[in-house]
Amino acid sequence: MSYPRTRPGARQLASAALATALALGAAGCGPGGTAAPEPSSTGTGNASSQLEQLTVAQASSMKGYDRDHFPHWRDAGKNCDVRDTVLQRDGEDIKLSGCNVVSGRWTSVYDNRTVTDPAGVDIDHMVPLANAWRSGADEWNDAERGDFANDLTRPQLLAVSAASNRSKGDQGPEEWKPPNRDYWCTYAESWVAVKHYWKLTVTPTEKSTLAEMLATC
């Protein structure tokens, strides 16, 4: 059975929201950023409702995939990009050189590790780029994929330990979950919020796993 695939609606709105977020990030190049965006849901009821609205489909082919089709990280001010913006937002005791984050302290919610060297911090895409490609982003253009890869408005970008991010890779929640079980609820809410906004599909197993994770809330 085939399922409809849709490109992201309101691309202009997403671009405007991203531009605003980047401007705020550039203006706030100093210690003490804002917290990472919360999922758009205000409770598991809304996240469960959003999950039910997602189109269920088998993952499409990786044919044609390349990370270069998701241009990142975008500039976010002088000598500062989206990576620096997230590092500053999610860290504590941040020190800068210009607008580049050179030190700080980060608590990785995936595995509860504390990291004090920015080189040991990865910026995770909640919904990995390759997963997005397999669930609808292959039909977007590179500008739209760039909006997705640099999305500071949804809970799509998160500073976590490099070890946990690389363990996750491009796997969905049916294949990888954060070792920190206390984060499963927020993880599922965030995953659903991103896929719902960007109109990405979920596989049957992915959907059932997300429902189980939401049940931990």
Side-chain angles (χ1 to χ4, degrees):
M1 179 180 296
S2 62
Y3 295 84
R5 301 273 294 284
T6 55
R7 289 169 61 169
R11 177 178 169 244
Q12 292 180 336
L13 178 61
S15 299
L18 176 61
T20 300
L22 293 178
L24 290 173
C29 285
T34 58
E38 291 296 325
S40 60
S41 62
T42 56
T44 52
N46 196 36
S48 296
S49 176
Q50 288 184 340
L51 178 60
E52 288 303 312
Q53 294 169 28
L54 296 179
T55 298
V56 178
Q58 296 298 329
S60 62
S61 169
M62 286 290 288
K63 182 179 180 180
Y65 171 76
D66 192 305
R67 286 179 66 87
D68 289 343
H69 289 311
F70 294 81
H72 64 288
W73 305 107
R74 286 178 175 167
D75 290 341
K78 184 178 179 181
N79 299 321
C80 185
D81 60 19
V82 168
R83 172 181 163 82
D84 286 304
T85 301
V86 178
L87 285 173
Q88 184 177 349
R89 183 197 69 192
D90 292 356
E92 299 179 13
D93 300 328
I94 300 297
K95 293 184 180 179
L96 304 170
S97 175
C99 234
N100 295 305
V101 175
V102 294
S103 67
R105 185 174 70 255
W106 295 267
T107 299
S108 171
V109 292
Y110 286 175
D111 51 8
N112 280 329
R113 293 187 183 183
T114 298
V115 184
T116 56
D117 182 351
V121 180
D122 279 358
I123 307 305
D124 179 53
H125 288 95
M126 173 60 61
V127 175
L129 306 183
N131 184 287
W133 181 273
R134 296 191 298 267
S135 55
D138 59 328
E139 297 183 352
W140 305 348
N141 60 43
D142 282 3
E144 291 167 327
R145 286 187 283 261
D147 290 344
F148 174 81
N150 294 277
D151 187 356
L152 288 164
T153 306
R154 262 59 55 186
Q156 166 67 343
L157 300 175
L158 192 65
V160 297
S161 70
S164 65
N165 183 49
R166 293 165 198 186
S167 173
K168 173 182 175 180
D170 66 353
Q171 300 175 95
E174 72 278 21
E175 301 168 307
W176 186 92
K177 301 178 184 64
N180 175 18
R181 292 179 64 96
D182 290 340
Y183 196 70
W184 283 13
C185 170
T186 302
Y187 189 86
E189 288 187 324
S190 298
W191 187 282
V192 170
V194 172
K195 284 216 161 179
H196 185 268
Y197 179 84
W198 288 98
K199 296 181 172 61
L200 295 170
T201 63
V202 288
T203 68
T205 307
E206 178 186 355
K207 180 178 179 179
S208 62
T209 301
L210 288 165
E212 292 170 0
M213 294 176 76
L214 290 174
T216 67
C217 296

